Amino acid sequence: MLAREEASGPAWLSVEGLASHYGRIQALRDVALTIAKGEIVSLVGANGAGKTTLLRTISGVQPASAGRIVFEGEDITTLAATARVSRGIAQVPEGRQIFGPLSVADNLRMGAYLRKDGEIAVDMDRIYALFPILAGFRARPGGSLSGGQQQMLALGRALMSRPRLLLLDEPSMGLAPVIVDQIFAAIVRLKSEGMTIFLVEQNAFAALSIADRGYALETGSVILSGNARDLLADEKVKEAYLGI
Amino acid sequence: MSQFLQFLFSGLTEGAVYAMVALGFTIIYNASDVVNFAQGEFVMLGGMVTFFANAAGIPLPLAALIAILVAVVAGLALNRFAIEPARGASVVNLIIITIGASIFIKGLAQLVFDKRFHRFPAFSGDDPIRVLDATILPQSLWVLFGACAIFSGLWLFFARTLVGKAITAVAANRLAAELVGISAKRMMALSFALSAAIGAIAGILITPISPTSVEVGTLLALKGFAGAMLGGMGNPLGAVAGGLIVGIVEKMSAGYVSTNYKDAVAFIIIILTLLVLPTGLFGKARVDRV
Ligand SMILES: Nc1ncnc2c1ncn2[C@@H]1O[C@H](COP(=O)(O)OP(=O)(O)OP(=O)(O)O)[C@@H](O)[C@H]1O
Ligand SMILES: [Mg+2]
């Protein structure tokens, strides 16, 4: 039943036969997946499964050693990271990766580094409206914020590029449940506004609960895929990722 | 008193040059964690290229501009052909690479130029200006104002401009910078270009006071490095303060003790800093990367 691909829109991002290596270590092998416009697709998997590597490869900060990444009909497999940002792909990296010495406002401004339009200030206010706590810390160095605030800042920074595809790498990692709820609420809200989201999580239950579809990755390969509701009910998934 | 003041003025002038070299160290160090011992060669190129271009009949301001461009090209080439390919190498290996590069630049300069000392005329004449009961050369004022202008300009650049902040972003988190679309490579190149230009300007300003030769770069790099260390590696304000202190201590020791030990001062400061104050006077300007 899981093998049946849920009828979703046409592939907007598609990854085909993707492989990636760190030196001689192969971190991804023959990965295939698709994301349709407006979907939340979740990717679950244990430590070291290759989730981060997959996102890094889609963003272009890690080279693909085989396969293709196609975004909006364009093969972006060998494009530089900068070019992918300007195509509309943004990533909130694992561990947040805030610019510690830069202020909260400058962190957000850096998110809009490639933009030339005049609406950057407007968008910044939108981020402050989405995460009001950041508004009070505009001038504080990003590195001085708490983990949860940094996660909000990292998400805000990614949104400042006006992405159309948002890649999120374990946004709940190390955060208190109440903060995780806020982050997930923000993700759901972004989807309702039309954002397409690829969500990587070890917290499989939370990730699949808000997703349309899901994939499971194990030692660099996709081992399961399907409708998120079906995955949540699947015995194998329950056992391996939900701890039930 | 008048003697003390005299030593202070010449110490400040010399120190301002070290401060500019130290700033060059700081910019590259902050952008890439590389301690660039070829920094002194940019100063050498500034003075030498200006002299030879000027001697070839090009007016001084234009000759100076050419010298800055030559130094910038040298800085970009250093980054592109020596530092970039060695990305990920250890700190010690990178230092050895920059020392090798400095020897290479010096050797090349020897082929193109000569081994003699050269100077060109001071910008505003050589009539000393009386200050209290000492005198100061107009060119010293050029050096001091030049250093002030560079420092303020850099401060504005890093604190107020998007590109300046992007360099800081790359230094703080290269991955995150790439992910927002900043090209770390380009920012590295820019910081080498900037450091080279600053070094060249220092060389141009000081040559009318202390003649230059292809050999001057090594000691200048060492003294600028001493200043940067003393101020706290990576801290621009510390670099300026450290550079000035090295210059002043050097001139005082030359004046009151013996000129024999002038060049030893920088070594002594480096060693004392390492032993007593490893983070320097002002520590590190960076906020912790959480
Ligand atoms: N920089 C690196 N150098 C060498 N090997 C790496 C590097 N980064 C990751 N790997 C290896 O690649 C594999 C996949 O790692 P990756 O970080 O993509 O996993 P992950 O699913 O994101 O894990 P986690 O849940 O712990 O974040 C692992 O075996 C890991 O050890
Ligand atoms: Mg990971």
Side-chain angles (χ1 to χ4, degrees):
Chain A
M1 133 183 201
L2 288 173
R4 174 172 59 88
E5 271 287 331
E6 184 70 9
S8 56
W12 189 50
L13 174 90
S14 83
V15 170
E16 300 155 18
L18 194 68
S20 189
H21 289 75
Y22 295 101
R24 290 168 60 191
I25 303 168
Q26 181 159 16
L28 294 178
R29 59 191 80 230
D30 199 21
V31 171
L33 57 84
T34 60
I35 297 174
K37 204 163 184 168
E39 274 189 315
I40 296 184
V41 174
S42 289
L43 176 74
V44 301
N47 283 116
K51 306 182 295 295
T52 297
T53 307
L54 176 56
L55 289 196
R56 288 168 53 89
T57 312
I58 295 174
S59 279
V61 290
Q62 160 79 19
S65 29
R68 306 201 310 149
I69 303 166
V70 178
F71 183 59
E72 294 190 312
E74 181 191 10
D75 187 334
I76 60 165
T77 319
T78 56
L79 278 188
T82 315
R84 301 190 203 196
V85 176
S86 54
R87 299 284 193 288
I89 300 176
Q91 183 183 153
V92 180
E94 183 175 71
R96 311 181 259 281
Q97 317 296 341
I98 289 306
F99 301 123
L102 293 184
S103 70
V104 165
D106 284 342
N107 266 277
L108 292 177
R109 181 64 187 83
M110 284 302 121
Y113 184 74
L114 294 176
R115 282 174 57 183
K116 303 273 180 277
D117 61 281
E119 289 176 44
I120 293 172
V122 179
D123 282 7
M124 226 182 257
D125 285 336
R126 280 197 195 123
I127 305 296
Y128 291 135
L130 184 64
F131 299 119
I133 190 140
L134 294 180
F137 295 147
R138 283 167 215 240
R140 291 238 315 238
S144 71
L145 301 189
S146 74
Q149 292 158 358
Q150 288 194 8
Q151 188 64 60
M152 295 174 195
L153 182 55
L155 183 52
R157 181 179 64 188
L159 291 173
M160 284 301 294
S161 69
R162 286 205 167 169
R164 285 164 308 126
L165 172 62
L166 189 58
L167 311 174
L168 302 173
D169 197 347
E170 302 206 37
S172 75
M173 190 170 65
L175 300 182
V178 53
I179 307 289
V180 174
D181 290 347
Q182 281 181 45
I183 301 279
F184 274 73
I187 295 171
V188 171
R189 188 169 147 192
L190 286 169
K191 177 196 157 83
S192 73
E193 290 166 3
M195 182 73 74
T196 309
I197 294 161
F198 189 34
L199 173 62
V200 161
E201 268 293 341
Q202 280 196 49
N203 186 345
F205 182 74
L208 289 171
S209 299
I210 63 168
D212 298 300
R213 290 186 305 116
Y215 290 88
L217 199 65
E218 203 174 283
T219 55
S221 302
V222 172
I223 52 153
L224 285 172
S225 67
N227 181 302
R229 212 174 321 118
D230 297 341
L231 284 175
L232 273 171
D234 184 79
E235 290 304 323
K236 266 191 291 179
V237 173
K238 277 186 182 171
E239 194 186 321
Y241 304 111
L242 302 177
I244 303 173
Chain B
M1 178 62 198
S2 76
Q3 208 183 28
F4 175 82
L5 212 55
Q6 202 60 60
F7 294 151
L8 184 67
F9 287 160
S10 57
L12 276 174
T13 307
E14 200 72 31
V17 173
Y18 302 158
M20 286 185 263
V21 177
L23 275 175
F25 272 106
T26 305
I27 292 167
I28 290 180
Y29 179 77
N30 278 349
S32 64
D33 286 329
V34 173
V35 178
N36 174 30
F37 277 98
Q39 192 61 35
E41 307 315 320
F42 301 144
V43 185
M44 177 276 285
L45 285 175
M48 291 296 278
V49 174
T50 305
F51 172 81
F52 278 92
N54 188 227
I58 297 170
L60 198 55
L62 193 59
L65 198 65
I66 293 171
I68 294 172
L69 287 178
V70 169
V72 166
V73 169
L76 288 173
L78 168 65
N79 174 54
R80 177 67 189 80
F81 299 113
I83 303 295
E84 230 175 58
R87 216 176 105 59
S90 72
V91 173
V92 175
N93 284 349
L94 284 168
I95 287 178
I96 292 169
I97 287 173
T98 67
I99 292 175
S102 108
I103 294 170
F104 178 75
I105 296 173
K106 199 190 310 183
L108 211 60
Q110 262 173 24
L111 285 179
V112 179
F113 306 128
D114 57 25
K115 286 183 156 187
R116 281 179 311 186
F117 278 89
H118 299 286
R119 72 180 287 263
F120 41 82
F123 304 167
S124 312
D126 292 310
D127 298 334
I129 302 163
R130 267 212 96 68
V131 181
L132 300 174
D133 48 358
T135 61
I136 190 164
L137 288 171
Q139 191 65 28
S140 286
L141 295 180
W142 273 99
V143 174
L144 290 172
F145 284 126
C148 283
I150 284 175
F151 184 72
S152 331
L154 278 180
W155 183 81
L156 281 175
F157 176 67
F158 281 104
R160 292 271 180 273
T161 71
L162 187 65
V163 176
K165 288 171 185 174
I167 294 182
T168 308
V170 170
N173 196 316
R174 193 181 174 107
L175 168 71
E178 295 274 6
L179 286 175
V180 296
I182 300 169
S183 162
K185 261 189 180 173
R186 202 173 294 170
M187 294 303 135
M188 282 271 291
L190 188 58
S191 47
F192 272 85
L194 204 57
S195 294
I198 291 170
I201 292 172
I204 293 161
L205 293 174
I206 195 67
T207 299
I209 299 177
S210 21
T212 187
S213 81
V214 287
E215 298 289 342
V216 298
T218 313
L219 270 180
L220 279 169
L222 201 88
K223 291 168 181 182
F225 176 69
M229 286 271 296
L230 177 62
M233 203 61 176
N235 184 328
L237 196 63
V240 172
L244 290 176
I245 293 171
V246 173
I248 291 167
V249 173
E250 200 178 273
K251 287 292 178 191
M252 292 289 170
S253 75
Y256 289 115
V257 188
S258 157
T259 50
N260 289 341
Y261 303 120
K262 179 172 171 277
D263 292 334
V265 166
F267 286 99
I268 293 169
I269 287 180
I270 291 174
I271 291 165
L272 282 181
T273 308
L274 282 174
L275 290 178
V276 183
L277 209 68
T279 55
L281 292 173
F282 295 83
K284 229 169 150 223
R286 283 186 194 172
V287 177
D288 276 340
R289 312 161 180 189
V290 179

